[in-house]
Amino acid sequence: MKDNIHPDYHEITVVMTDGSEFKTRSTLGKEGETLRLDIDPKSHPAWTGVHRLVDSGGQLAKFKKRFDSFGIKSST
Protein backbone atom coordinates (compact mmCIF):
# COMPACT_ATOMS: atom_id res chain seq x y z
CA MET A 1 0.00 0.00 0.00
CA LYS A 2 1.40 3.42 -0.97
CA ASP A 3 2.05 5.98 1.74
CA ASN A 4 0.18 9.31 1.94
CA ILE A 5 -2.44 8.58 -0.76
CA HIS A 6 -5.39 7.61 1.44
CA PRO A 7 -7.68 10.19 3.10
CA ASP A 8 -7.76 10.53 6.87
CA TYR A 9 -10.46 8.25 8.30
CA HIS A 10 -11.74 9.61 11.63
CA GLU A 11 -14.79 9.91 13.89
CA ILE A 12 -17.49 12.57 13.23
CA THR A 13 -20.91 13.31 14.73
CA VAL A 14 -24.01 13.18 12.52
CA VAL A 15 -27.01 15.26 13.67
CA MET A 16 -30.40 14.22 12.26
CA THR A 17 -33.25 16.66 11.49
CA ASP A 18 -35.00 15.85 14.78
CA GLY A 19 -31.88 16.69 16.80
CA SER A 20 -30.82 13.12 17.56
CA GLU A 21 -27.19 12.37 16.84
CA PHE A 22 -24.79 9.49 16.44
CA LYS A 23 -21.08 9.01 15.88
CA THR A 24 -19.62 7.35 12.81
CA ARG A 25 -16.33 7.18 10.99
CA SER A 26 -15.82 9.19 7.81
CA THR A 27 -13.31 10.96 5.59
CA LEU A 28 -15.40 14.15 5.83
CA GLY A 29 -13.69 17.17 7.37
CA LYS A 30 -11.55 16.73 10.45
CA GLU A 31 -11.71 14.63 13.63
CA GLY A 32 -14.69 15.62 15.82
CA GLU A 33 -16.55 17.72 13.20
CA THR A 34 -20.35 17.68 13.00
CA LEU A 35 -22.44 16.86 9.92
CA ARG A 36 -25.97 18.33 10.14
CA LEU A 37 -28.47 16.64 7.84
CA ASP A 38 -31.24 18.55 6.01
CA ILE A 39 -32.87 15.31 4.85
CA ASP A 40 -32.77 12.00 6.65
CA PRO A 41 -34.63 8.66 6.71
CA LYS A 42 -36.85 9.83 9.61
CA SER A 43 -38.34 12.74 7.67
CA HIS A 44 -37.91 12.19 3.91
CA PRO A 45 -40.94 10.85 1.97
CA ALA A 46 -38.78 8.33 0.12
CA TRP A 47 -38.36 6.41 3.40
CA THR A 48 -41.50 7.36 5.34
CA GLY A 49 -44.03 6.71 2.56
CA VAL A 50 -45.84 9.98 3.34
CA HIS A 51 -45.88 12.14 0.22
CA ARG A 52 -47.10 15.72 -0.11
CA LEU A 53 -47.61 17.56 -3.35
CA VAL A 54 -46.53 21.17 -3.15
CA ASP A 55 -48.38 23.45 -5.56
CA SER A 56 -45.96 26.20 -6.49
CA GLY A 57 -47.55 28.88 -8.62
CA GLY A 58 -50.67 26.86 -9.42
CA GLN A 59 -48.78 24.30 -11.49
CA LEU A 60 -50.55 21.35 -9.88
CA ALA A 61 -53.97 22.93 -10.44
CA LYS A 62 -53.07 23.65 -14.08
CA PHE A 63 -51.95 20.03 -14.56
CA LYS A 64 -55.16 18.66 -13.01
CA LYS A 65 -57.28 20.95 -15.19
CA ARG A 66 -55.46 19.92 -18.35
CA PHE A 67 -55.70 16.18 -17.74
CA ASP A 68 -59.05 16.06 -15.91
CA SER A 69 -60.81 14.82 -19.07
CA PHE A 70 -58.88 11.53 -18.93
CA GLY A 71 -61.08 10.42 -16.02
CA ILE A 72 -58.24 9.51 -13.67
CA LYS A 73 -59.20 10.16 -10.06
CA SER A 74 -56.50 11.77 -7.94
CA SER A 75 -55.98 10.96 -4.27
CA THR A 76 -55.41 14.62 -3.27
Side-chain angles (χ1 to χ4, degrees):
M1 191 161 80
K2 292 184 181 180
D3 291 335
N4 301 323
I5 65 166
H6 298 285
D8 180 36
Y9 191 62
H10 49 268
E11 191 172 88
I12 66 167
T13 302
V14 178
V15 179
M16 307 288 264
T17 57
D18 66 354
S20 62
E21 56 185 58
F22 64 93
K23 293 198 179 290
T24 188
R25 295 186 54 82
S26 174
T27 59
L28 176 77
K30 297 184 179 5
E31 176 79 28
E33 283 195 19
T34 301
L35 172 63
R36 296 188 183 281
L37 299 179
D38 294 331
I39 299 172
D40 68 30
K42 293 180 181 179
S43 64
H44 194 275
W47 290 285
T48 62
V50 178
H51 298 280
R52 281 188 340 221
L53 295 175
V54 178
D55 190 5
S56 59
Q59 293 296 314
L60 187 58
K62 188 189 295 185
F63 178 85
K64 285 181 179 180
K65 182 179 177 184
R66 179 182 288 170
F67 294 102
D68 192 37
S69 64
F70 285 100
I72 300 172
K73 303 291 183 206
S74 69
S75 61
T76 56

